[in-house]
Structures are given as structure tokens and as C-alpha cells.
Amino acid sequence: MSLRPPRDKRTTLAEAASAVADGAIVALGGGLCARLPMALVRELIRQGRTGLHLVGSAHSIDVDLLVAAGAVRRCEESYVGFEQDLGLAPAYREAARNGLIEIAESCCATILAQLRAAEMGVPFLPVVGVRGSDIGSLHPEYREIECPFTGQKLVAVPALRPDVALLHAPSGDRYGNLHLEQPYVLDERFASASKAVIATVDELVSTEDVTAAGITVPGHLVSALVEVPFGAHPASCYPRYAYDRPHLNEYVTAARSGDAAGYLQKYVHDTGSEDGYQKAIGRLDELTGWSASTDAWKELFA
Amino acid sequence: MSLRPPRDKRTTLAEAASAVADGAIVALGGGLCARLPMALVRELIRQGRTGLHLVGSAHSIDVDLLVAAGAVRRCEESYVGFEQDLGLAPAYREAARNGLIEIAESCCATILAQLRAAEMGVPFLPVVGVRGSDIGSLHPEYREIECPFTGQKLVAVPALRPDVALLHAPSGDRYGNLHLEQPYVLDERFASASKAVIATVDELVSTEDVTAAGITVPGHLVSALVEVPFGAHPASCYPRYAYDRPHLNEYVTAARSGDAAGYLQKYVHDTGSEDGYQKAIGRLDELTGWSASTDAWKELFA
Amino acid sequence: MSPRPFTLDEWFVVLLARTIRPDETVFHGFGSPCAQVAMHVARRTHAPDMVLVEGAMYAINPEPPFIPPTGNDAALKQGAAYSMRFEEFFDAALRGDVDRMFLSGGQIDRFGNTNVTMIGPRDRPKVKLGGGGGGCNLSATIGNLTLWTTRHRGGRTLVPECDFITDMGHRTPAGSRTELGFPGGGPQWMVTELGVFDFPGETVRLCRTFPDVSVDEVRAATGFPLDVAGDLRPLDPPSTTELAAVRTIDPLGVRKGEFDERELSRVFAHDPGGGCAC
Amino acid sequence: MSPRPFTLDEWFVVLLARTIRPDETVFHGFGSPCAQVAMHVARRTHAPDMVLVEGAMYAINPEPPFIPPTGNDAALKQGAAYSMRFEEFFDAALRGDVDRMFLSGGQIDRFGNTNVTMIGPRDRPKVKLGGGGGGCNLSATIGNLTLWTTRHRGGRTLVPECDFITDMGHRTPAGSRTELGFPGGGPQWMVTELGVFDFPGETVRLCRTFPDVSVDEVRAATGFPLDVAGDLRPLDPPSTTELAAVRTIDPLGVRKGEFDERELSRVFAHDPGGGCAC
């Protein structure tokens, strides 16, 4: 592979998602309930994708929804859940309990090292930790090695090269130049380490505008781009919108009571498209009101 | 060591340079004839520093002047010279010919890997190349290793943790937050990998201003900061000033004819300080005229 | 004017805050509102020069207008001059430049090993917990760890043996930190809703108690033999400054989400004789 | 209207430019004005969709108003939407995402090994050259290499054996690229002021000549037995479009610094019958 020339990379969500094969290693951008590539997640579910090997750092409804939809074979993240606020990830917990998914829980720092190996073109990197923890028992592929200089025992972890990274950004241009706000989480690393990058943006802007905002992920790494307003919903995508806590609660409540399928039917399958999804959600504009005042912002989390 | 709290780190050039010990491993920021920490280089020479182990990527008058002054024991850069324009580095070439310095020429990518090892807290990193080149013969410390996953032969290079990094930036605040323009070269990596960071800035600005410009090197890595206008001269420091080609030519011509000592006397020792240096140079303001027009810019290089 | 009464959740985060030394670089992980609030309390009281790394934001020394219920929200980087990149933070922590991390666990054993991965067998866990974030590497290299749990009383958190060790304390079946060559110092403090513990050696010891909790209650709730300090003392109550900091920083009461209703109903008052911050 | 005559330096950079294929990602190292100008010529002529990585700036697809005499100058990033970080570029090149690099050498052998490090013994080199930049790693992984020298005629550049191998060609005493497991394809072209060479196998072969240079002159200047292509042909002259690009891109004539006066005095004219760009 070489870097991608600056050509127009715009396409449709359906077309973009169709490039993700069943069984693919899929890196999910964003973290916790922020900047998750939810429009792509929903489209993958609509298209009936199966057998995915998900890779990420800290995730929530992105992973849980894909697991609920039966799209996932293996989960390799450092965290999946809804934090202290909404608690454990219901579909993920249930699928683990029933042995329906491989739990390959990893560590942010290990995944970082594995992505960096891919990014740097080396087949492995050493890490200091992991030993002493049982996380290694979920990863029989790790090897112990000795530093040739210090004799120090280290853990060698193999390069991780996802088939595709799914990223969402607040803005980007037609060439795939993306602007992100901090925290970038692993998005930059995913972009370099993956074989392909599919991006959604809330707003397509000119190259001048994305340059002025600051290009975080360069277009030469991006294969396809789709403009999807609110494409991270119900996750946040600052500076545009905060996360939709009532909606996340609706999902968690449904899934915890065993009705993830009902949620999927209503919000993914029956909506048919992101236009349909946005109509089904309705109150999207409220989420952009965070910047009006501290009180308005707090109100969204009350 | 832990990260440095946001305290006022301003000091004098003499005080800052005195923290560099004889024999120290010194990382030099910038690259070629851009953003070199020349005020610190001159001050180290004034203070009679000796035995330094210099580390960098592509360098020019910074390394050559320190070598000419007899301050250097070992040179570990990927390039030292004045490009096609002014040619080979005269003092460096002469000292090498006379066996007065250890030539540990390295490679940008190897130094990057060694700095990253230090930065990441691991004692070594593997690189793919180097074998097949004679550069390895200048580095008996390298070791061949085998990837535990692929069996691929690789070269293990040890972590490189400079005692101090000398950086110059166009602007920074009192807490050591520095704004740089691209190319950052290795400055960010040096800042993380080194035990201490000493920075000079052309202009001390408020935290608000450096935040708005973009903080490239965070203050929590910086130990001391000195405001020195034109502190990179005769190297460039955009967006403020272009490099001083006539002055570089004056140095190279003097050193090539065997009179580096005369240059050092006139511009380093006799000037006594950076104020004195700036007076001796005189035409500094011309170098800031690059932005007036393309013709004005070209004129500086004619 | 007599100070207002205060609640257990307020005192709890103050106790966490007090484990931070001035000038330390401190980090908290995901889903940790008590630790998160505690770090801001410390920075506004006894540790104004600390380097506060704001959890999932990696923002340095922010001044958030409030603590939101998610750890990745732009409110948490307000007022910060900059944020670290993800890898900048992990690199700093792994090379030993971070002094303290807060860690919790669904299970904690006497060596301070913690489990945030799963309860029950590995192939079909009864409960898959959220996961360890960066802990299994960070706990090896970060200077000191402050552990906490708000679920001590129920008896299922402080266990003889973790079903799964996510983050290493002082010793696991693989050996001690020294034997593994880990530079980090491991658990230094553990704060629970029943008391404060230190680690004089490799194992945990009760050293401070709340006025409404007896040592026997602590013992009954602890799944391993309780070690008690010879100089066991009552905990110093929060100062009015500390309480004010808690209330300013966490107006939404996000910290309360970590506690059972029963604990939230514990209310204390300063005794007239004083009760200073330690 | 008959085209103006053109000079050897102009033709030379056009020949370098033609080694770039459309859509390639291309990089040049330090102190390489000919390669630098050539890359911009290619982008303005036959390779508008290439990804041009501007040498020491790591700027992507800039439109510099002129080429300055130093490779690290802000003029060289004008018009670029972004620059790569140093490590972004090296990572991309080391993982195989860069298709072509231009490399020169004070010495070059028949395998395309190059020496930019030193002439003479290693402990006391007669001439310490500038150094290899990132070459000893990049040459292992980058897709293809275009070598060039403007100092062929003097007889001391194309040598039987390099005093020091900085950047690997197709084979060194350590083995071949295949034996070393290097993914990069190695030298593909070599352009000198006397002709253009290809690498049909592991060694270099003259395949195109300038009209004012005989094969015997090339042979006399070459320190190893000269291999000549069966279909040796004259070089196609630069098109007026290519010449215009050279003159627009390099108004200061920085490229000329690579040549002896003698070479700069070589002037050519298009023959009336045509002479198209290849």
C-alpha cells in the first residue's frame, strides 16, 4: 500500500460500510461515549455484518450494539461499559456469560504498542507491564523476551494491523482531511496502523476550513468519507454536540431488561437510514445547546 | 522524575547553560539551518564546556561551532553539513580527519527509535533496516534479534535518554509551554526522552497567546526557559526570521580556511553575551522581512 | 457560625484527595467519579502545584465548571492550556513520570491486587466487568497507587483471592514487584466507606476508622484476616475548605453514583472542639 | 516559434522527474536540490496526483513560490494543507507506504550501494561527508530508489567498491535484499550527467545517453566494467512544458549548485523534427 493521493473520497454510508467484510478486524475510533462512529455501526448492523473482531480502547454503545446485533466474534478493548453512571454494558456482559463472544480484553498501553508496531513497520514491540496481571492469560499470543542490553524481562506483543478503522470527526474535507478535538484517543494511531480508514463527518467543509481548524488525520490515510450530521449520536462530538444521556439510558434500560432486539428494530432496522434515525430521535438540536451557558450544559446531564 | 509543575521557569542564559555538565549527552533541537538553539550553543562555548556527546538528526553550524570550540567528544547525528549550498561542515570534517571526535553517525529513523524507547520507558526497540549498511559498524552497541512471532531478523537499538535537550522556539510562556512551527523535527521526542529540557524563545508571551498559537512542547517537560530574541540566529526561526545566509557563508569561509578560532573570538567570546552578539551581527531586522513579498523573501537567498 | 453537616461521600473524596502529595503528577481511570473529584479537591486545597491529568481527557490542570457523568466530555478540559495526546500520557506513565494513579476494583485482595475484568470462570464469566483500561501496564510503572472501593460493607469486594487479577498490587502468583522488576511502588493507600488502609509491607492494614464504623464491622466485611495498625486512629474530618471544594467541583453530585443509598445517608458534623484537615 | 535552448541542469532534473510514476508517494533527502526540483516538475507535468513529501519539511504537496538553498525553510511548505510530523513520515516509509526516494552519493558502486558518510579509513576519514540522514533504514523499506549523481565524469564517484556503505543498493557483503528480508525494491534508476541507467538485475546498466556524450566517455568515467543495454537509445529531450516547470519552480537556480561549471555550460536545442516528452 502507498499513501492515498488527494482525490475526492466522498461516498454514501451504504457504500462505505460495504467495504467492511464479515470477519474483519475493525478498529473503532473515539472513546467512552465520545466521537464513536455510530452511523457506521448502525449501517453495519443494517447490512447484517457478522464475525467482526473489534479493537479499541474504552468503548460503550458502539461495541454493545454490535454485540447485541450478533455482529461480533471477538472483543479486544480495554474497557466496555457505561461508566459509573449507567453501569455495565448489558449485551456485552450477557454475550460473555453465554460464551457467544471471545473476550480478549486488552490494555490501552498494550494496544497502543501493538498499533505502533504496525505503524512503525516492525512485527512486534516490547512492553514492561502485563506480567503479574491475568490479562496475559486472555492473550496466549504474547511472548516473554529478554532485553539484549539490560537482561530485563519484557513482554513482546505482535503488531496489530486492523483491516479497517472507522472514525467519526466533527469536520473534514472531500479529500479525507479530518479535524478532531482532543482527546484524539487512538484515532491517529488507528489511521496509520490500519489497512483502510472510513470516516464520517458531521460537516463537510472546504480544505481551507479544515486546514485552519487543524488537520488531525491527514487525507493520505483515508479511503472513504461520508457526511453524516450527528453521525456519532448518541455519543458526543464536540464542539458540535454533547452526548445524549436520556437516549443512552433508554438503550441500556432496554438491553438490561433483555430487549436489545426491540431497540435495534426501532432505531436501526426500521429507520432504514441515518435520515430515518435522526427523525426517530427527534431532539437532536437540544444536544448542540451545551455552549449556551454552563447551566444549559449541566442541564443536559441532569 | 515526575512531570514538572507549572512554575515560573524563566532564568538567564548563563544560568540555563550552566546546567549542562561537561561530558553530558546533549540533544540539539531544530534541523539543518532552522530553529537551532544557537544562543545556548554560544553560551556553552563561552562557558568552556568540554566532552559533550551531541545527539541530533540533521545539523549544521550548531554542531560545527561546538566542534570548532573543542567542546565535543562524540557526534551522533544523521547529517552535519551545509547542504549543497555551502557544502561540508569544515570543523567537523577536520576534527574527524584528525581523530579528535568520535564519529558515531546514525540515522534519523534509528535515533527516532532510540528516543521513542526512552520516551516509552522500554530499554530497546527493534528496527528493520541498518543491516546491509556500514552504519552499524559505527555502533557496536546494536544487537541483532529475532522477532518472536515472525522469526524475522531485526536490529535492537538501546533507549537513548539525553541528559538535556536544548530547544529554541519562536514563542513560549513562563511555564515553559512552547509553540513551534512545522517541521518540529525531533523536538517533541527530545523533550519527552531527555532528563531535562532547556528552552530559549524569541519572545516570551502569555499562556493565553501560546495556547491560541498551539502548544507543541508542554511546560511539564521543560526545566528552564530564557527569552532570547534571535536566539536561533544564524539559523531561521519562522514565522519570525529566515536564516542568515551571508553570515553562514562568513562562518563556513572562515572555518574552511582554518580560521574558525577567529570567528569564535569575534562572534562568541568577544561579544560576551547575546546582546553583544546581536550588536556584532547588526543586520538582524533584514531577516524578518521575508514575509513582505515573495521577491523580498527570494532576495534573502540570492 | 457553625459549619454545615457533611455526608459520607463528601468525606470519602476528601480522604482520597489527602493521599495526593503536593507536586505529584496524578491520574485517574474510567468510571471513577470519586477519584476524579478528589483530584480537583486536592488541587484546590493542599496541592495547588500538582500536575492533574484529567482521566480520559488527558487534559492538564483543567478547571471544569462541573463534573459530568462521563469521563470523556469537553467540560473536563475547560481551562486547560493543553491536553496530552493519548500516547503522550501513556508514555509518561510507562517511563515513570506519573506519581500516582487511583484504582478501584470489583474485587480487591490483601496484596492490593484488583479485578475489574470478570467474576466467575474465564470462558463464561458470571459477570463481565468493564475492564482494566490501561491498568495492567500502568500499575507496573506509576509511582504509587491509591486504591478505593465504596462497596466494602457488602462483603464481596475485599476477597481472599481475586477471580481475575487485572491490575497488580504488591504480589501475585507471578511474584512480587521486585521479582518482576517493576519500577512502580504499588498500592500505598486504600480508602473504603468503612475506613482507610495503608500498606506497611506487601499487605493491607486498617489504620484509620470512621466514627460510625467499628473495627468488628470492618473485620466482618473483609474476606481476609484483618490487619489493624497498632496506632489505629479516627479519621480527621474534612475541613470547611475541603468541603467547599467538593461542593463547588461536583455540583451534579456525580460522585454519589458510586455509593449505595445506605452510605449516602451517613451524615456527620464537626465536633465543636475542631477537627482540622490533616 | 522555436523553443529556447535548454541546459544540462534543466534536462537532468526532467530526467529525474520522469522516474516518478503517477500516484506515487515520493521523498527526497537533505541537500538534494536536483531531486527536490524534479519532484515538483513531476507533480506539475505527468504526475499531478502524486503525494509529494517535501524533504526536510515533510510538507505534503506544497506549492513553494521558489526553491530556497536550504531544505528546511518555510518557503517549502507554502500551499500545503498540512505537514507530516517527522515520525509520521518515517513511520510511513518504514511500513512501506512510501513508493520512491531519491538518493545520491559521494561514491556509488555497481549494486547501487551509496556512500555519503566518509572517504578513507573509519577512525580518521580523509573526508567526512555530511551523512546519510534516514537512508540506512529508509533504503530497506521504501518501494523504489532513484539514484543520481552530477559527478560521474570525474571518475571518482562510480567506484568498484564504496569506502563505506551508507545506504544499501541491491547487494552488500551482508547479502542481498531478499536475503536480508527487506521489503523495499532498491535502486530502479540512476541518472548521471553522462546518461541514464537502469537495474535489470542487481547491477546497474547504461540504457540512455545524452547526445554530447559517447559510450566510451561513460565507460572511462566508470570505476567498474560498464554494462550497456542492447537497446541503448538517446534520451528524449525535455518538453517545453517540462522546461517551463523547471524554470518556474527554481527561479533561483538552486539546482545548478550540484554541477561543475563545465556541465552547466552544456546547452542543447530541440531538433526541428520534435523530441517529445516520454
Side-chain angles (χ1 to χ4, degrees):
Chain A
M1 201 187 79
S2 53
L3 303 181
R4 290 178 170 81
R7 297 214 183 92
D8 191 337
K9 291 162 183 169
R10 288 172 299 169
T11 183
T12 62
L13 194 62
E15 183 72 23
S18 73
V20 181
D22 283 346
I25 304 180
V26 177
L28 294 165
L32 291 174
C33 284
R35 229 174 1 75
L36 305 177
M38 291 306 298
L40 282 162
V41 162
R42 286 184 285 267
E43 185 60 23
L44 288 174
I45 294 172
R46 286 186 199 110
Q47 294 187 8
R49 205 67 73 255
T50 59
L52 301 178
H53 171 173
L54 302 182
V55 176
S57 53
H59 293 265
S60 59
I61 190 170
D62 48 351
V63 171
D64 211 59
L65 210 56
L66 284 165
V67 168
V72 180
R73 176 179 63 81
R74 182 176 168 90
C75 278
E76 189 163 6
E77 301 88 4
S78 72
Y79 175 87
V80 182
F82 295 84
E83 306 171 76
Q84 198 58 47
D85 190 36
L86 302 175
L88 301 181
Y92 174 73
R93 173 184 170 171
E94 188 64 9
R97 196 173 68 83
N98 293 319
L100 299 176
I101 51 173
E102 294 172 33
I103 293 294
E105 181 179 317
S106 188
C107 162
C108 292
T110 309
I111 292 174
L112 173 61
Q114 294 185 267
L115 293 169
R116 271 176 159 166
E119 194 176 11
M120 294 160 68
V122 292
F124 82 96
L125 280 186
V127 297
V128 169
V130 179
R131 293 164 307 134
S133 160
D134 288 330
I135 291 287
S137 70
L138 305 176
H139 295 275
E141 71 274 21
Y142 298 169
R143 293 279 173 271
E144 219 169 82
I145 56 163
E146 205 175 274
C147 172
F149 304 105
T150 62
Q152 190 178 343
K153 286 224 172 71
L154 299 158
V155 174
V157 296
L160 176 57
R161 190 150 175 74
D163 292 311
V164 60
L166 308 182
L167 306 182
H168 180 79
S171 64
D173 71 6
R174 65 179 62 196
Y175 306 110
N177 294 307
L178 308 179
H179 168 71
L180 305 183
E181 290 219 339
Q182 287 267 32
Y184 307 144
V185 199
L186 281 172
D187 288 28
E188 295 172 293
R189 307 283 70 79
F190 282 147
S192 299
S194 299
K195 292 178 196 161
V197 176
I198 298 173
T200 52
V201 293
D202 287 316
E203 191 185 1
L204 188 80
V205 299
S206 68
T207 298
E208 291 63 39
D209 284 352
V210 72
T211 301
I215 292 172
T216 317
V217 174
H220 64 244
L221 297 173
V222 175
S223 15
L225 181 113
V226 191
E227 185 182 35
V228 187
F230 293 98
H233 184 273
S236 64
C237 187
Y238 286 99
R240 291 170 185 267
Y241 44 95
Y243 79 158
D244 190 341
R245 188 165 175 250
H247 185 81
L248 286 164
N249 192 37
E250 180 181 343
Y251 168 71
V252 171
T253 304
R256 196 160 287 151
S257 70
D259 194 29
Y263 176 94
L264 283 167
Q265 195 60 47
K266 177 173 177 190
Y267 288 109
V268 180
H269 297 297
D270 287 352
T271 58
S273 71
E274 284 300 301
D275 278 352
Y277 175 77
Q278 286 165 33
K279 285 193 195 92
I281 298 295
R283 56 184 284 281
L284 285 168
D285 283 345
E286 283 177 35
L287 303 172
T288 64
W290 66 271
S291 56
S293 69
T294 297
D295 281 342
W297 205 354
K298 276 155 73 170
E299 194 57 41
L300 290 171
F301 303 122
Chain B
M1 202 187 77
S2 54
L3 302 181
R4 290 178 168 81
R7 297 213 182 94
D8 191 339
K9 291 162 183 169
R10 287 172 300 168
T11 182
T12 63
L13 194 61
E15 183 73 21
S18 72
V20 181
D22 284 346
I25 303 179
V26 177
L28 294 165
L32 290 174
C33 284
R35 227 172 2 74
L36 305 176
M38 291 306 299
L40 282 162
V41 162
R42 285 185 286 268
E43 186 60 23
L44 288 173
I45 294 172
R46 288 187 198 108
Q47 294 186 8
R49 206 65 76 252
T50 60
L52 301 178
H53 171 174
L54 302 182
V55 176
S57 53
H59 293 266
S60 59
I61 191 169
D62 49 349
V63 170
D64 211 59
L65 210 57
L66 285 164
V67 169
V72 180
R73 177 179 64 78
R74 182 176 168 87
C75 278
E76 190 164 5
E77 301 88 6
S78 71
Y79 176 88
V80 182
F82 295 84
E83 306 171 76
Q84 198 58 48
D85 190 35
L86 303 174
L88 300 181
Y92 174 73
R93 172 183 169 170
E94 188 64 10
R97 196 173 69 83
N98 294 317
L100 299 175
I101 52 173
E102 294 171 34
I103 294 293
E105 182 179 317
S106 188
C107 162
C108 293
T110 309
I111 292 175
L112 173 60
Q114 295 185 265
L115 292 169
R116 271 175 159 166
E119 193 176 11
M120 292 160 69
V122 292
F124 82 96
L125 280 186
V127 297
V128 169
V130 180
R131 293 164 306 135
S133 160
D134 288 331
I135 291 287
S137 71
L138 305 176
H139 294 275
E141 72 274 20
Y142 297 168
R143 294 277 173 273
E144 218 168 84
I145 55 163
E146 205 175 276
C147 171
F149 303 105
T150 62
Q152 189 178 344
K153 286 223 173 72
L154 299 159
V155 174
V157 295
L160 176 57
R161 190 149 175 74
D163 293 310
V164 60
L166 308 182
L167 307 182
H168 181 78
S171 64
D173 71 7
R174 66 181 59 197
Y175 306 110
N177 294 307
L178 308 179
H179 168 71
L180 305 184
E181 289 219 339
Q182 288 269 31
Y184 308 143
V185 200
L186 282 171
D187 288 29
E188 294 171 293
R189 307 283 70 77
F190 281 148
S192 299
S194 299
K195 292 178 194 159
V197 176
I198 298 174
T200 51
V201 294
D202 286 316
E203 191 185 1
L204 189 79
V205 299
S206 68
T207 298
E208 289 65 37
D209 284 352
V210 73
T211 301
I215 292 173
T216 318
V217 174
H220 64 245
L221 298 173
V222 175
S223 13
L225 181 113
V226 191
E227 185 183 34
V228 187
F230 294 99
H233 183 273
S236 65
C237 186
Y238 285 99
R240 290 171 186 266
Y241 45 95
Y243 79 158
D244 189 342
R245 188 165 174 251
H247 185 81
L248 286 164
N249 192 37
E250 181 181 342
Y251 168 72
V252 170
T253 304
R256 197 160 288 152
S257 71
D259 194 29
Y263 176 94
L264 283 167
Q265 194 61 46
K266 178 174 176 191
Y267 288 109
V268 180
H269 298 298
D270 288 353
T271 57
S273 71
E274 285 300 301
D275 277 352
Y277 175 78
Q278 286 166 34
K279 285 191 195 95
I281 297 295
R283 56 184 284 281
L284 285 169
D285 283 345
E286 284 177 33
L287 304 172
T288 63
W290 67 270
S291 56
S293 68
T294 297
D295 281 342
W297 204 355
K298 276 156 72 172
E299 195 56 43
L300 290 171
F301 303 122
Chain C
M1 187 178 119
S2 84
R4 286 190 294 168
F6 53 93
T7 52
L8 186 272
D9 56 285
E10 292 172 326
W11 197 351
F12 189 90
V13 297
V14 166
L15 295 172
L16 286 176
R18 289 177 185 165
T19 70
I20 296 170
R21 287 180 287 226
D23 289 8
E24 280 190 341
T25 299
V26 187
F27 175 73
H28 71 83
F30 310 129
S32 307
C34 282
Q36 186 175 28
V37 175
M39 283 166 54
H40 289 282
V41 169
R43 184 155 178 263
R44 295 193 192 196
T45 56
H46 70 280
D49 276 352
M50 69 186 274
V51 178
L52 186 159
V53 186
E54 178 56 61
M57 303 301 287
Y58 313 105
I60 302 298
N61 292 333
E63 311 265 1
F66 60 92
I67 303 291
T70 175
N72 186 343
D73 188 276
L76 294 167
K77 66 174 178 180
Q78 298 297 295
Y82 59 88
S83 297
M84 293 170 113
R85 285 178 139 83
F86 182 95
E87 53 272 24
E88 267 183 283
F89 167 71
F90 280 96
D91 285 348
L94 295 172
R95 71 176 178 262
D97 278 359
V98 174
D99 302 302
R100 183 173 305 278
M101 174 169 67
F102 287 89
L103 267 182
S104 188
Q107 295 181 325
I108 305 176
D109 71 18
R110 70 189 196 283
F111 295 112
N113 297 310
T114 52
N115 175 13
V116 286
T117 298
M118 55 177 75
I119 308 292
R122 294 190 192 177
D123 51 340
R124 295 195 174 202
K126 194 172 145 216
V127 184
K128 176 67 187 84
L129 303 170
C136 84
N137 282 288
L138 296 180
S139 62
T141 58
I142 281 181
N144 285 289
L145 307 176
T146 296
L147 308 183
W148 89 101
T149 174
T150 56
R151 308 276 171 172
H152 187 171
R153 196 188 299 270
R156 290 190 297 186
T157 302
L158 294 202
V159 294
E161 210 172 303
C162 294
D163 290 4
F164 187 101
I165 295 174
T166 312
D167 301 323
M168 183 180 182
H170 286 286
R171 174 177 288 281
T172 77
S176 73
R177 295 184 153 261
T178 311
E179 286 158 14
L180 293 175
F182 286 168
Q188 185 183 32
W189 300 103
M190 179 173 75
V191 178
T192 85
E193 82 279 24
L194 303 185
V196 171
F197 299 73
D198 61 4
F199 287 82
E202 289 188 337
T203 54
V204 74
R205 177 180 74 169
L206 179 67
C207 63
R208 299 288 204 112
T209 49
F210 287 99
D212 60 343
V213 177
S214 72
V215 173
D216 281 345
E217 279 178 279
V218 180
R219 185 172 287 115
T222 303
F224 45 79
L226 186 70
D227 186 12
V228 180
D231 63 343
L232 183 72
R233 285 182 297 157
L235 284 160
D236 293 317
S239 70
T240 50
T241 312
E242 289 170 319
L243 285 174
V246 175
R247 290 162 188 171
T248 304
I249 290 155
D250 185 22
L252 298 180
V254 166
R255 66 188 179 278
K256 293 178 197 278
E258 291 204 40
F259 297 89
D260 275 345
E261 279 305 321
R262 169 174 176 178
E263 309 301 341
L264 291 175
S265 67
R266 290 165 63 189
V267 180
F268 306 89
H270 289 96
D271 81 60
C276 65
C278 60
Chain D
M1 188 179 118
S2 85
R4 288 189 293 168
F6 53 93
T7 52
L8 186 271
D9 56 285
E10 293 172 325
W11 198 350
F12 188 89
V13 298
V14 167
L15 295 173
L16 287 176
R18 288 176 186 166
T19 70
I20 295 170
R21 287 181 287 226
D23 288 9
E24 280 190 339
T25 299
V26 187
F27 175 73
H28 71 82
F30 310 129
S32 307
C34 282
Q36 186 175 28
V37 174
M39 282 165 55
H40 289 282
V41 169
R43 184 156 178 263
R44 294 193 193 197
T45 56
H46 70 279
D49 276 352
M50 68 185 275
V51 178
L52 187 159
V53 186
E54 178 54 62
M57 303 300 289
Y58 314 106
I60 301 298
N61 293 333
E63 311 264 1
F66 59 93
I67 303 292
T70 175
N72 186 342
D73 188 274
L76 295 167
K77 66 173 177 179
Q78 298 296 297
Y82 59 89
S83 297
M84 293 171 114
R85 285 176 138 86
F86 182 95
E87 53 273 24
E88 266 182 285
F89 167 72
F90 279 97
D91 286 348
L94 295 173
R95 72 175 177 261
D97 279 358
V98 174
D99 302 302
R100 184 172 303 279
M101 174 169 66
F102 286 89
L103 267 182
S104 188
Q107 296 180 324
I108 305 176
D109 71 17
R110 70 188 194 285
F111 294 112
N113 298 309
T114 52
N115 175 12
V116 286
T117 297
M118 56 177 75
I119 308 292
R122 292 188 196 180
D123 51 340
R124 295 193 174 206
K126 194 173 145 215
V127 185
K128 176 65 188 84
L129 303 170
C136 85
N137 282 289
L138 296 180
S139 62
T141 57
I142 282 181
N144 285 289
L145 308 175
T146 296
L147 308 183
W148 89 101
T149 175
T150 57
R151 310 274 170 174
H152 188 171
R153 197 188 299 270
R156 292 190 298 188
T157 302
L158 294 203
V159 294
E161 211 171 301
C162 293
D163 290 4
F164 187 103
I165 296 173
T166 311
D167 301 322
M168 183 179 183
H170 286 286
R171 173 177 289 280
T172 79
S176 72
R177 296 185 152 261
T178 311
E179 285 158 15
L180 292 174
F182 286 168
Q188 185 183 33
W189 299 104
M190 179 173 76
V191 178
T192 85
E193 81 280 24
L194 302 186
V196 170
F197 299 72
D198 61 4
F199 288 82
E202 288 189 337
T203 54
V204 74
R205 177 180 74 167
L206 180 67
C207 63
R208 298 289 204 110
T209 50
F210 288 100
D212 60 344
V213 177
S214 72
V215 172
D216 281 344
E217 279 178 279
V218 180
R219 186 173 286 115
T222 303
F224 46 78
L226 186 70
D227 187 13
V228 181
D231 63 342
L232 184 72
R233 283 182 298 155
L235 284 159
D236 293 317
S239 70
T240 49
T241 313
E242 288 170 319
L243 285 173
V246 175
R247 291 162 188 171
T248 305
I249 289 154
D250 185 23
L252 298 179
V254 165
R255 66 189 179 276
K256 293 177 197 279
E258 291 203 40
F259 297 89
D260 276 344
E261 280 306 321
R262 167 171 179 182
E263 309 302 341
L264 291 176
S265 67
R266 290 165 64 187
V267 180
F268 306 88
H270 288 96
D271 82 61
C276 65
C278 59

